[in-house]
Amino acid sequence: MNSQDFDKCRQFLEEHLSKNIGNKDLLAVYQKLIELKSQYDTATDKALIEKEIREAELNTQFRTSAYTNDTDLNKAVHRNNTDFNMAWNAQQAENHRHYQTTQANVFNQAMGNGYQPWSQPGQGQLPQQPGSY
């Protein structure tokens, strides 16, 4: 019974009780109305409390899942960034090593064979012939 209906019934019974104070039947009905309203309110309050408990439990589960997912995501992002940086650094080291090896090979060849810029013709030039000027 909602509060509006209860108030209408209560006012109706109180009005009739004030006119017939000695009517025990009206008094019993009034008492029964109060008892029923009390039972209804108790059941309603209990249902609201149970609903709030369920909502709190679901909210806790949601927050736990969200926190776990956020933590897993952050760990994956950090792992990906770390792997990327390690790969990039390894590639840079390999590039530098290759450059150093290439330079060493060029210098070794130049030192071993002598530096002879004239031994290779430039673009559009003919190679020099031995004994020619």
Side-chain angles (χ1 to χ4, degrees):
M1 170 184 303
N2 65 33
S3 293
Q4 264 185 343
D5 292 339
F6 169 75
D7 285 338
K8 287 178 184 177
C9 290
R10 182 185 52 78
Q11 288 172 357
F12 175 78
L13 289 172
E14 286 176 354
E15 182 181 318
H16 280 17
L17 275 172
S18 65
K19 293 178 185 174
N20 299 320
I21 294 176
N23 191 337
K24 294 188 189 260
D25 292 334
L26 280 176
L27 190 57
V29 169
Y30 184 77
Q31 182 179 358
K32 185 67 174 174
L33 176 68
I34 300 297
E35 288 173 4
L36 289 174
K37 178 62 174 161
S38 177
Q39 290 172 0
Y40 172 80
D41 287 347
T42 301
T44 302
D45 290 346
K46 181 180 176 186
L48 288 173
I49 290 169
E50 288 172 352
K51 178 183 173 192
E52 289 174 0
I53 290 170
R54 282 192 307 274
E55 287 175 352
E57 289 171 349
L58 290 173
N59 192 24
T60 300
Q61 289 174 354
F62 169 76
R63 288 180 185 267
T64 301
S65 295
Y67 177 78
T68 300
N69 291 342
D70 288 346
T71 301
D72 291 345
L73 174 66
N74 289 337
K75 286 178 4 186
V77 167
H78 179 70
R79 185 173 36 255
N80 286 344
N81 287 340
T82 301
D83 291 346
F84 170 81
N85 288 331
M86 288 173 59
W88 188 83
N89 288 335
Q91 184 61 48
Q92 292 297 29
E94 181 61 26
N95 290 346
H96 184 69
R97 186 197 64 76
H98 177 69
Y99 175 76
Q100 293 294 327
T101 302
T102 302
Q103 290 296 315
N105 289 339
V106 167
F107 291 136
N108 285 337
Q109 185 174 354
M111 295 302 286
N113 300 330
Y115 180 65
Q116 300 172 1
W118 59 86
S119 67
Q120 295 181 353
Q123 187 176 2
Q125 296 178 348
L126 295 173
Q128 278 188 327
Q129 298 296 322
S132 66
Y133 295 97

